[in-house]
Amino acid sequence: MLDKQSPIPIYIQIEEQLKQQIEQGDFPIGTAIPSERELTERFGVSRMTVRQSITNLVNDGLLYREKGRGTFVASPKVEQPLNGLTSFTEDMVARGMVPSSKLIGFEILEPESDIAADLQLEQGDKVYFVERIRFADDKPMAIERTYLPVERFPELDQDSFQGSLYAMIEKDHQLTISRAVQRMEAGLVKKEDAELLQIKAPAAILMIERISYLAGEQPFEVVRSTYRADRYKFTTDIKR
Ligand code: 16G
């Protein structure tokens, strides 16, 4: 099964074979893969080589380790195109998943100067600060911390944020969402966010900031999101 003459290192060949078996469904999601000892015997290589292949697959998010229990097949990452301005609800529904949210914070406050500037607010203007955990099929995917100008959306309360924010803006408020500027960077999860996302620190996250505008170029939201890097993959269609 392995080609020892090949210039491709053995640990990569093993990695590819395991990957193929995962993709074919030989090892279904959530089940344990064979132990290091079994794989060592099967491939006729050292335990260190097998461990290297498994570590790479863990780092790529295809497998996850549980202390004292073994190594399991992870759910495939959600592949999210970055070409359109869509909502979390729309994205999950498009994938046949059931979106839901848990509101963990709701306040009316005077924002920091950078948020105020992004939302083009005047001194003293207030915002709603909304913190939500976003779930897909009951699994936590992201935490979203959203700032919305109170003046633009008067009379919102906690109940306003139970469903889709974009649906509320477009259907209830009859406004047109036109564009957004988005920045993304990698980071390590904070302790409190790790608990909310049900992951163990240290873990990689994707931090995304979005400033979205209504038709007429009025900014209506600043969102700072923390996405699970083990559940998300972003794709862009680029032309030349
Ligand atoms: C997405 C947006 C977020 C927006 C939310 C609305 C990113 C990084 N963020 O999660 O800015 O507020 O959708 O979703 O894509 P909703 O309509 O389901 O509440």
Side-chain angles (χ1 to χ4, degrees):
M1 277 196 293
L2 298 176
D3 180 358
K4 298 211 163 142
Q5 311 307 321
S6 163
I8 300 169
I10 295 294
Y11 74 91
I12 293 184
Q13 292 187 41
I14 296 179
E15 206 182 305
E16 287 305 322
Q17 288 198 19
L18 292 174
K19 205 186 240 176
Q20 212 175 27
Q21 283 194 278
I22 294 168
E23 276 159 14
Q24 283 168 2
D26 295 351
F27 307 135
I29 295 164
T31 61
I33 60 157
S35 69
E36 278 181 13
R37 182 149 38 90
E38 285 171 83
L39 293 172
T40 302
E41 277 165 24
R42 174 171 138 196
F43 291 111
V45 295
S46 76
R47 198 144 170 167
M48 252 186 36
T49 305
V50 163
R51 196 165 294 164
Q52 173 76 64
S53 317
I54 293 176
T55 299
N56 286 355
L57 292 170
V58 169
N59 292 340
D60 287 349
L62 272 85
L63 298 175
Y64 61 94
R65 287 194 174 104
E66 279 196 10
K67 236 186 182 153
R69 290 194 58 223
T71 307
F72 299 84
V73 179
S75 306
K77 291 184 186 183
V78 165
E79 207 162 320
Q80 170 74 51
L82 285 178
N83 309 327
L85 177 49
T86 50
S87 72
F88 181 85
T89 303
E90 289 163 344
D91 291 339
M92 295 309 124
V93 169
R95 273 179 193 84
M97 297 169 110
V98 179
S100 59
S101 302
K102 183 177 176 196
L103 190 70
I104 53 168
F106 177 81
E107 272 177 78
I108 294 177
L109 46 83
E110 254 183 66
E112 300 285 331
S113 56
D114 53 344
I115 305 265
D118 288 341
L119 289 172
Q120 297 169 15
L121 300 180
E122 310 266 320
Q123 181 100 38
D125 285 350
K126 299 239 162 80
V127 293
Y128 299 102
F129 172 57
V130 182
E131 271 184 294
R132 295 185 292 171
I133 308 176
R134 313 300 310 257
F135 298 85
D137 289 344
D138 294 326
K139 296 214 178 72
M141 306 293 277
I143 304 165
E144 287 182 350
R145 298 186 167 97
T146 308
Y147 301 83
L148 299 161
V150 170
E151 207 179 323
R152 172 137 306 281
F153 307 103
E155 294 169 24
L156 298 184
D157 58 21
Q158 306 205 6
D159 288 342
S160 317
F161 297 95
Q162 301 303 334
S164 162
L165 171 65
Y166 283 11
M168 176 193 59
I169 291 171
E170 293 178 319
K171 298 209 177 88
D172 303 351
H173 291 261
Q174 296 281 307
L175 295 166
T176 307
I177 298 172
S178 70
R179 71 176 187 99
V181 178
Q182 204 158 276
R183 292 191 196 93
M184 193 186 315
E185 59 186 300
L188 287 175
V189 73
K190 290 191 189 121
K191 203 169 157 251
E192 61 270 27
D193 286 354
E195 271 168 39
L196 299 172
L197 290 171
Q198 296 168 26
I199 51 177
K200 277 198 199 93
I205 47 154
L206 295 157
M207 299 182 289
I208 304 177
E209 183 178 84
R210 185 186 277 193
I211 306 170
S212 316
Y213 298 81
L214 297 171
E217 285 298 289
Q218 293 153 316
F220 74 92
E221 69 165 359
V222 172
V223 188
R224 292 183 175 163
S225 317
T226 301
Y227 278 77
R228 285 178 58 159
D230 64 334
R231 301 292 292 119
Y232 261 91
K233 193 190 266 188
F234 292 92
T235 58
T236 344
D237 186 1
I238 41 184
K239 289 193 182 72
R240 181 170 156 91

